Coordinates of all heavy atoms in Angstrom, one line a residue:
M667 N 96.2 5.8 127.6 CA 97.4 6.3 127.0 C 97.3 7.8 126.9 O 96.3 8.3 126.5 CB 97.6 5.7 125.6 CG 98.9 6.2 125.0 SD 99.2 5.4 123.4 CE 99.7 3.8 124.0
V668 N 98.3 8.5 127.4 CA 98.2 10.0 127.5 C 99.5 10.6 126.8 O 100.6 10.2 127.3 CB 98.1 10.5 128.9 CG1 98.1 12.0 129.0 CG2 96.8 9.9 129.6
Q669 N 99.3 11.4 125.9 CA 100.5 12.1 125.3 C 100.1 13.6 125.0 O 99.1 13.8 124.3 CB 100.8 11.4 123.9 CG 101.2 9.9 124.1 CD 102.5 9.8 124.8 OE1 103.4 10.6 124.7 NE2 102.7 8.7 125.6
G670 N 100.9 14.5 125.5 CA 100.8 15.9 125.1 C 99.6 16.6 125.4 O 99.3 17.6 124.8
V671 N 98.8 16.2 126.5 CA 97.6 17.0 126.8 C 97.8 17.6 128.2 O 96.8 18.2 128.7 CB 96.4 16.1 126.8 CG1 96.1 15.7 125.3 CG2 96.4 15.0 127.7
G672 N 98.9 17.5 128.9 CA 99.1 18.0 130.2 C 98.3 17.3 131.3 O 97.9 17.9 132.3
F673 N 98.0 16.0 131.1 CA 97.2 15.3 132.1 C 97.8 15.2 133.4 O 97.1 15.6 134.4 CB 97.0 13.8 131.5 CG 95.9 13.1 132.2 CD1 94.6 13.1 131.7 CD2 96.2 12.4 133.4 CE1 93.6 12.4 132.3 CE2 95.1 11.7 134.0 CZ 93.9 11.7 133.5
R674 N 99.1 14.9 133.5 CA 99.7 14.7 134.8 C 99.7 16.1 135.6 O 99.5 16.2 136.8 CB 101.1 14.1 134.7 CG 101.1 12.7 134.2 CD 102.5 12.2 134.1 NE 103.2 13.0 133.1 CZ 104.5 13.1 133.0 NH1 105.3 12.4 133.8 NH2 105.1 13.8 132.1
A675 N 100.1 17.1 134.9 CA 100.2 18.4 135.5 C 98.8 18.9 136.0 O 98.7 19.5 137.0 CB 100.8 19.5 134.5
S676 N 97.8 18.7 135.2 CA 96.5 19.1 135.6 C 96.0 18.3 136.8 O 95.3 18.9 137.7 CB 95.5 19.0 134.4 OG 95.2 17.7 134.1
V677 N 96.3 17.0 136.9 CA 95.9 16.2 138.0 C 96.7 16.7 139.3 O 96.1 16.9 140.3 CB 96.2 14.7 137.8 CG1 96.1 13.9 139.1 CG2 95.3 14.1 136.8
Q678 N 97.9 17.1 139.1 CA 98.7 17.6 140.2 C 98.1 18.9 140.7 O 98.0 19.1 141.9 CB 100.2 17.8 139.8 CG 101.0 18.4 140.9 CD 102.4 18.7 140.5 OE1 102.7 19.2 139.4 NE2 103.4 18.3 141.3
Q679 N 97.8 19.8 139.9 CA 97.2 21.1 140.2 C 95.9 20.9 141.0 O 95.7 21.5 142.1 CB 96.9 21.9 139.0 CG 96.2 23.3 139.4 CD 95.8 24.0 138.1 OE1 95.7 23.5 137.0 NE2 95.5 25.3 138.3
R680 N 95.0 20.0 140.5 CA 93.7 19.8 141.2 C 94.0 19.1 142.5 O 93.2 19.4 143.5 CB 92.8 19.0 140.3 CG 92.3 19.8 139.2 CD 91.4 19.0 138.2 NE 91.0 19.8 137.1 CZ 89.8 20.4 137.0 NH1 88.9 20.2 138.0 NH2 89.5 21.1 136.0
A681 N 94.9 18.2 142.6 CA 95.2 17.5 143.9 C 95.7 18.5 144.9 O 95.2 18.5 146.1 CB 96.2 16.4 143.7
R682 N 96.6 19.4 144.6 CA 97.1 20.4 145.5 C 96.0 21.3 145.9 O 95.9 21.7 147.1 CB 98.2 21.1 144.9 CG 99.5 20.2 144.8 CD 100.7 21.0 144.2 NE 101.9 20.1 144.4 CZ 103.0 20.5 143.8 NH1 103.1 21.6 143.1 NH2 104.0 19.7 144.0
T683 N 95.1 21.7 145.0 CA 94.0 22.6 145.4 C 93.0 21.9 146.4 O 92.5 22.6 147.3 CB 93.2 23.0 144.1 OG1 94.0 23.6 143.2 CG2 92.0 23.8 144.4
R684 N 92.9 20.7 146.3 CA 92.0 19.9 147.2 C 92.7 19.3 148.4 O 92.0 18.6 149.2 CB 91.3 18.8 146.4 CG 90.4 19.4 145.3 CD 89.5 18.3 144.8 NE 88.5 18.8 143.9 CZ 87.3 19.3 144.2 NH1 87.0 19.3 145.5 NH2 86.5 19.7 143.3
G685 N 94.0 19.6 148.5 CA 94.7 19.1 149.7 C 94.9 17.5 149.7 O 95.0 16.9 150.7
V686 N 95.0 17.0 148.5 CA 95.2 15.6 148.4 C 96.6 15.2 148.1 O 97.3 15.9 147.3 CB 94.3 15.0 147.2 CG1 94.6 13.6 146.9 CG2 92.8 15.2 147.5
G687 N 97.2 14.2 148.8 CA 98.5 13.8 148.6 C 98.6 12.6 147.6 O 97.6 12.1 147.2
G688 N 99.8 12.3 147.2 CA 100.0 11.1 146.3 C 100.9 11.5 145.2 O 101.8 12.3 145.2
W689 N 100.7 10.8 144.1 CA 101.5 11.0 142.9 C 100.8 10.5 141.6 O 99.8 9.8 141.7 CB 102.8 10.2 143.0 CG 102.7 8.8 143.4 CD1 102.8 8.3 144.7 CD2 102.4 7.7 142.6 NE1 102.6 6.9 144.7 CE2 102.4 6.5 143.4 CE3 102.2 7.5 141.2 CZ2 102.1 5.2 142.9 CZ3 102.0 6.2 140.7 CH2 101.9 5.1 141.6
V690 N 101.3 11.0 140.5 CA 100.8 10.5 139.2 C 102.0 10.3 138.3 O 103.0 11.1 138.4 CB 99.8 11.6 138.6 CG1 100.5 12.9 138.4 CG2 99.2 11.1 137.3
R691 N 102.0 9.3 137.4 CA 103.1 9.0 136.5 C 102.6 8.3 135.2 O 101.5 7.7 135.2 CB 104.1 8.1 137.2 CG 103.6 6.8 137.5 CD 104.7 5.9 138.2 NE 104.2 4.6 138.5 CZ 104.7 3.8 139.4 NH1 105.8 4.2 140.1 NH2 104.2 2.7 139.7
N692 N 103.4 8.4 134.2 CA 103.2 7.7 133.0 C 103.8 6.3 133.2 O 104.9 6.2 133.7 CB 103.8 8.3 131.8 CG 103.1 9.6 131.3 OD1 102.0 9.8 131.7 ND2 103.8 10.4 130.6
R693 N 103.1 5.2 132.8 CA 103.7 3.9 132.9 C 104.3 3.6 131.5 O 104.1 4.2 130.5 CB 102.5 2.9 133.1 CG 102.0 3.0 134.5 CD 101.0 2.0 134.9 NE 100.5 1.1 133.8 CZ 99.6 0.2 133.9 NH1 98.9 0.1 135.1 NH2 99.2 -0.5 132.9
P694 N 105.2 2.6 131.5 CA 105.9 2.2 130.3 C 105.0 1.8 129.2 O 105.3 2.0 128.0 CB 106.8 1.1 130.7 CG 107.0 1.2 132.2 CD 105.7 1.9 132.7
D695 N 103.8 1.3 129.5 CA 102.8 0.9 128.4 C 102.0 2.1 127.9 O 101.1 1.9 127.1 CB 101.9 -0.2 129.0 CG 101.0 0.3 130.1 OD1 101.1 1.4 130.5 OD2 100.2 -0.6 130.6
G696 N 102.3 3.3 128.4 CA 101.6 4.5 127.9 C 100.4 4.9 128.7 O 99.8 6.0 128.5
A697 N 100.0 4.1 129.7 CA 98.9 4.4 130.6 C 99.4 5.4 131.6 O 100.6 5.6 131.8 CB 98.3 3.1 131.2
V698 N 98.5 5.9 132.4 CA 98.8 6.8 133.5 C 98.3 6.1 134.8 O 97.3 5.5 134.8 CB 98.1 8.2 133.4 CG1 98.2 9.0 134.6 CG2 98.6 8.9 132.1
E699 N 99.2 6.2 135.8 CA 98.9 5.6 137.1 C 99.0 6.7 138.1 O 99.8 7.5 138.1 CB 99.9 4.5 137.4 CG 99.7 3.8 138.7 CD 100.7 2.7 138.8 OE1 101.8 2.7 138.2 OE2 100.4 1.7 139.6
A700 N 98.0 6.7 139.1 CA 98.0 7.7 140.2 C 97.6 7.1 141.5 O 96.9 6.1 141.5 CB 97.1 8.8 139.8
V701 N 98.1 7.7 142.6 CA 97.7 7.3 143.9 C 97.2 8.6 144.6 O 97.9 9.7 144.5 CB 98.9 6.8 144.7 CG1 98.5 6.7 146.2 CG2 99.3 5.4 144.2
F702 N 96.0 8.6 145.1 CA 95.4 9.7 145.8 C 95.2 9.4 147.3 O 94.7 8.3 147.5 CB 94.1 10.1 145.2 CG 94.1 10.4 143.7 CD1 93.2 9.9 142.9 CD2 95.1 11.2 143.2 CE1 93.2 10.2 141.5 CE2 95.2 11.5 141.8 CZ 94.2 11.0 141.0
E703 N 95.5 10.3 148.1 CA 95.3 10.1 149.6 C 94.9 11.4 150.2 O 95.5 12.4 150.1 CB 96.6 9.6 150.2 CG 96.4 9.1 151.6 CD 97.7 8.5 152.2 OE1 98.3 7.7 151.5 OE2 98.0 8.7 153.3
G704 N 93.8 11.3 150.9 CA 93.3 12.5 151.6 C 91.8 12.3 152.0 O 91.3 11.2 152.1
E705 N 91.1 13.4 152.2 CA 89.7 13.3 152.6 C 88.9 12.7 151.4 O 89.2 13.0 150.3 CB 89.2 14.8 152.9 CG 89.8 15.4 154.1 CD 89.5 14.6 155.4 OE1 88.4 14.1 155.5 OE2 90.4 14.5 156.2
P706 N 87.9 11.9 151.8 CA 87.1 11.2 150.7 C 86.6 12.1 149.6 O 86.6 11.7 148.5 CB 86.0 10.5 151.5 CG 86.6 10.3 152.9 CD 87.5 11.5 153.1
D707 N 86.1 13.3 150.0 CA 85.5 14.2 149.0 C 86.6 14.6 148.0 O 86.3 14.7 146.8 CB 84.9 15.4 149.6 CG 83.6 15.1 150.4 OD1 83.0 14.0 150.2 OD2 83.1 16.0 151.1
G708 N 87.8 14.9 148.5 CA 88.9 15.3 147.6 C 89.3 14.2 146.7 O 89.5 14.4 145.5
V709 N 89.5 13.0 147.3 CA 89.9 11.9 146.5 C 88.8 11.5 145.4 O 89.1 11.3 144.2 CB 90.2 10.6 147.4 CG1 90.3 9.4 146.6 CG2 91.4 10.9 148.3
D710 N 87.5 11.5 145.8 CA 86.5 11.2 144.9 C 86.4 12.2 143.8 O 86.2 11.9 142.6 CB 85.1 11.2 145.6 CG 85.0 10.1 146.5 OD1 85.7 9.1 146.5 OD2 84.0 10.1 147.4
A711 N 86.6 13.5 144.0 CA 86.6 14.6 143.0 C 87.8 14.3 142.0 O 87.6 14.5 140.8 CB 86.8 15.9 143.6
L712 N 88.9 13.9 142.5 CA 90.1 13.6 141.6 C 89.8 12.4 140.7 O 90.1 12.4 139.5 CB 91.3 13.4 142.3 CG 92.0 14.7 142.8 CD1 93.1 14.4 143.7 CD2 92.6 15.4 141.6
V713 N 89.2 11.4 141.3 CA 88.8 10.2 140.5 C 87.9 10.6 139.4 O 88.0 10.2 138.2 CB 88.2 9.1 141.4 CG1 87.6 8.0 140.5 CG2 89.3 8.5 142.3
E714 N 86.9 11.4 139.7 CA 85.9 11.9 138.7 C 86.6 12.7 137.6 O 86.3 12.6 136.5 CB 84.8 12.7 139.4 CG 83.8 11.8 140.1 CD 83.2 10.7 139.2 OE1 82.7 11.0 138.0 OE2 83.2 9.5 139.6
Y715 N 87.5 13.6 138.0 CA 88.2 14.4 137.0 C 89.0 13.5 136.1 O 89.0 13.7 134.9 CB 89.2 15.3 137.7 CG 90.0 16.1 136.8 CD1 89.5 17.1 136.0 CD2 91.4 15.8 136.6 CE1 90.2 17.8 135.1 CE2 92.2 16.5 135.7 CZ 91.6 17.5 134.9 OH 92.3 18.2 134.0
C716 N 89.6 12.4 136.6 CA 90.4 11.5 135.8 C 89.5 10.7 134.8 O 90.1 10.2 133.8 CB 91.2 10.5 136.7 SG 92.6 11.3 137.5
R717 N 88.2 10.7 135.0 CA 87.3 10.0 134.1 C 87.3 10.7 132.7 O 87.1 10.1 131.7 CB 85.9 9.9 134.6 CG 85.8 8.9 135.8 CD 84.4 8.6 136.2 NE 84.3 7.9 137.4 CZ 84.6 6.6 137.6 NH1 84.9 5.9 136.6 NH2 84.5 6.1 138.8
S718 N 87.6 12.0 132.7 CA 87.6 12.7 131.4 C 88.9 13.5 131.2 O 89.3 13.7 130.0 CB 86.4 13.7 131.4 OG 86.5 14.6 132.5
G719 N 89.6 13.9 132.3 CA 90.9 14.6 132.1 C 90.7 16.0 131.6 O 89.6 16.5 131.4
P720 N 91.8 16.6 131.2 CA 91.8 18.0 130.7 C 91.3 18.0 129.3 O 91.2 17.0 128.6 CB 93.3 18.4 130.8 CG 94.0 17.2 130.7 CD 93.2 16.1 131.4
R721 N 91.1 19.2 128.8 CA 90.6 19.4 127.4 C 91.7 18.8 126.5 O 92.9 18.9 126.7 CB 90.5 20.9 127.1 CG 90.3 21.2 125.6 CD 90.2 22.7 125.3 NE 88.8 23.0 125.4 CZ 88.3 24.2 125.8 NH1 89.2 25.1 126.0 NH2 87.1 24.4 125.8
G722 N 91.2 18.1 125.5 CA 92.1 17.4 124.5 C 92.5 16.0 124.9 O 93.1 15.3 124.1
S723 N 92.1 15.5 126.0 CA 92.4 14.2 126.4 C 91.2 13.3 126.1 O 90.1 13.7 126.0 CB 92.7 14.1 127.9 OG 91.6 14.4 128.7
Q724 N 91.5 12.0 126.0 CA 90.5 11.0 125.8 C 90.8 9.8 126.8 O 91.9 9.2 126.6 CB 90.5 10.5 124.4 CG 89.5 9.4 124.1 CD 89.6 8.8 122.7 OE1 90.0 9.5 121.8 NE2 89.1 7.6 122.5
V725 N 89.9 9.6 127.7 CA 90.1 8.5 128.7 C 89.2 7.4 128.2 O 88.0 7.5 128.1 CB 89.7 9.0 130.1 CG1 89.8 7.8 131.1 CG2 90.6 10.2 130.5
D726 N 89.8 6.2 127.9 CA 89.1 5.1 127.5 C 88.7 4.1 128.6 O 87.7 3.4 128.5 CB 89.9 4.3 126.5 CG 90.2 5.0 125.2 OD1 89.3 5.8 124.8 OD2 91.2 4.9 124.6
R727 N 89.5 4.1 129.7 CA 89.2 3.2 130.8 C 89.8 3.8 132.1 O 90.9 4.3 132.0 CB 89.7 1.8 130.5 CG 89.3 0.8 131.5 CD 89.8 -0.6 131.2 NE 91.2 -0.7 131.5 CZ 92.2 -1.1 130.7 NH1 91.9 -1.4 129.5 NH2 93.4 -1.2 131.1
L728 N 89.1 3.6 133.2 CA 89.6 4.0 134.5 C 89.4 2.9 135.5 O 88.2 2.4 135.6 CB 88.9 5.3 135.0 CG 89.3 5.8 136.3 CD1 90.6 6.4 136.3 CD2 88.3 6.8 136.9
E729 N 90.5 2.5 136.1 CA 90.4 1.4 137.1 C 90.7 2.0 138.4 O 91.7 2.8 138.6 CB 91.4 0.3 136.8 CG 91.1 -0.4 135.5 CD 92.1 -1.4 135.2 OE1 92.9 -1.8 136.0 OE2 92.2 -1.9 134.0
V730 N 89.9 1.7 139.4 CA 90.1 2.2 140.8 C 90.3 1.1 141.8 O 89.5 0.1 141.8 CB 88.9 3.1 141.2 CG1 89.1 3.6 142.7 CG2 88.7 4.3 140.3
E731 N 91.3 1.2 142.6 CA 91.6 0.2 143.6 C 91.9 0.9 144.9 O 92.5 1.9 144.9 CB 92.8 -0.7 143.3 CG 92.7 -1.5 142.0 CD 94.0 -2.3 141.7 OE1 94.8 -2.5 142.7 OE2 94.2 -2.6 140.6
E732 N 91.3 0.4 146.0 CA 91.6 0.9 147.3 C 92.9 0.3 147.8 O 93.1 -0.9 147.7 CB 90.5 0.7 148.3 CG 89.3 1.6 147.9 CD 88.3 1.8 149.0 OE1 88.7 1.6 150.2 OE2 87.1 2.0 148.7
E733 N 93.8 1.1 148.5 CA 95.0 0.6 149.0 C 95.2 1.1 150.5 O 94.5 2.0 150.8 CB 96.2 1.1 148.2 CG 96.3 0.7 146.8 CD 97.5 1.2 146.1 OE1 98.2 2.0 146.6 OE2 97.7 0.8 144.9
P734 N 96.0 0.5 151.2 CA 96.3 1.0 152.6 C 96.8 2.4 152.6 O 97.5 2.8 151.6 CB 97.3 0.0 153.2 CG 97.3 -1.2 152.3 CD 96.8 -0.7 151.0
V735 N 96.5 3.1 153.6 CA 97.0 4.5 153.7 C 98.6 4.5 153.8 O 99.1 3.7 154.6 CB 96.4 5.2 154.9 CG1 97.0 6.6 155.2 CG2 94.9 5.3 154.7
R736 N 99.2 5.4 153.1 CA 100.7 5.4 153.1 C 101.2 6.7 153.8 O 102.4 6.8 154.1 CB 101.2 5.4 151.7 CG 100.8 4.2 150.9 CD 101.4 4.4 149.5 NE 101.0 3.2 148.7 CZ 101.3 3.1 147.4 NH1 102.1 4.0 146.8 NH2 100.9 2.0 146.8
G737 N 100.4 7.6 154.1 CA 100.9 8.9 154.7 C 101.3 9.9 153.7 O 102.1 10.8 154.1
E738 N 100.8 9.9 152.5 CA 101.2 10.8 151.5 C 100.5 12.2 151.8 O 99.3 12.3 152.0 CB 100.7 10.4 150.1 CG 101.2 9.1 149.6 CD 102.6 9.2 149.0 OE1 103.1 10.4 148.8 OE2 103.2 8.2 148.6
D739 N 101.3 13.2 151.9 CA 100.7 14.5 152.3 C 101.1 15.6 151.2 O 100.7 16.7 151.4 CB 101.2 15.0 153.7 CG 102.7 15.1 153.8 OD1 103.4 14.8 152.9 OD2 103.1 15.5 154.9
N740 N 101.9 15.2 150.2 CA 102.2 16.1 149.1 C 101.8 15.4 147.8 O 101.8 14.2 147.8 CB 103.7 16.5 149.2 CG 104.0 17.6 148.2 OD1 103.2 18.3 147.7 ND2 105.3 17.7 148.0
F741 N 101.6 16.2 146.8 CA 101.3 15.5 145.5 C 102.4 15.9 144.5 O 102.8 17.0 144.3 CB 99.9 16.0 145.0 CG 99.4 15.0 143.9 CD1 98.6 14.0 144.3 CD2 99.7 15.2 142.6 CE1 98.2 13.0 143.3 CE2 99.3 14.3 141.6 CZ 98.5 13.2 142.0
R742 N 102.9 14.8 143.8 CA 104.0 15.0 142.9 C 103.8 14.2 141.6 O 103.0 13.2 141.6 CB 105.3 14.7 143.5 CG 105.4 13.2 143.9 CD 106.5 13.0 145.0 NE 106.5 11.6 145.3 CZ 105.7 10.9 146.2 NH1 104.7 11.6 146.7 NH2 105.9 9.7 146.4
V743 N 104.4 14.7 140.5 CA 104.5 14.0 139.3 C 105.8 13.3 139.3 O 106.8 13.8 139.6 CB 104.4 15.0 138.1 CG1 104.7 14.3 136.7 CG2 103.1 15.8 138.0
T744 N 105.7 12.0 139.0 CA 106.9 11.1 139.0 C 107.1 10.5 137.6 O 106.1 10.5 136.8 CB 106.9 10.0 140.1 OG1 105.9 9.1 139.8 CG2 106.7 10.6 141.5
G745 N 108.2 9.9 137.4 CA 108.5 9.2 136.2 C 108.1 9.9 135.0 O 107.5 9.9 134.0

């Protein structure tokens, strides 16, 4: 659950810096969901960042699933 810590914006900034495409959004249940697509090092770095998030955030659980490539080449905040 993420509220008021700039989590989505900070993930977007880091994704763009690393050349990773995809998206991040808040889910109706208060959790955050993201898709990362790009070079393995960039994707791995973003997953690691999401384990702790920006200052002021508290991450209780992180689930990672591999999905088929979709061709995401830009990163955006949705929902």
Side-chain angles (χ1 to χ4, degrees):
M667 182 174 288
V668 177
Q669 299 292 328
V671 295
F673 194 94
R674 294 177 301 157
S676 67
V677 169
Q678 180 183 41
Q679 177 188 17
R680 287 176 183 261
R682 288 182 172 171
T683 299
R684 296 191 172 274
V686 173
W689 49 264
V690 62
R691 68 179 175 199
N692 288 343
R693 293 185 353 186
D695 65 0
V698 172
E699 180 176 26
V701 168
F702 303 136
E703 188 171 319
E705 295 297 322
D707 288 347
V709 171
D710 291 345
L712 279 170
V713 170
E714 284 305 310
Y715 176 71
C716 288
R717 291 188 191 284
S718 59
R721 171 181 269 152
S723 66
Q724 177 182 338
V725 178
D726 295 325
R727 187 176 80 233
L728 178 71
E729 296 176 16
V730 177
E731 296 179 22
E732 289 196 28
E733 297 181 353
V735 174
R736 299 178 184 182
E738 299 278 356
D739 59 359
N740 190 17
F741 199 90
R742 63 199 180 281
V743 174
T744 66

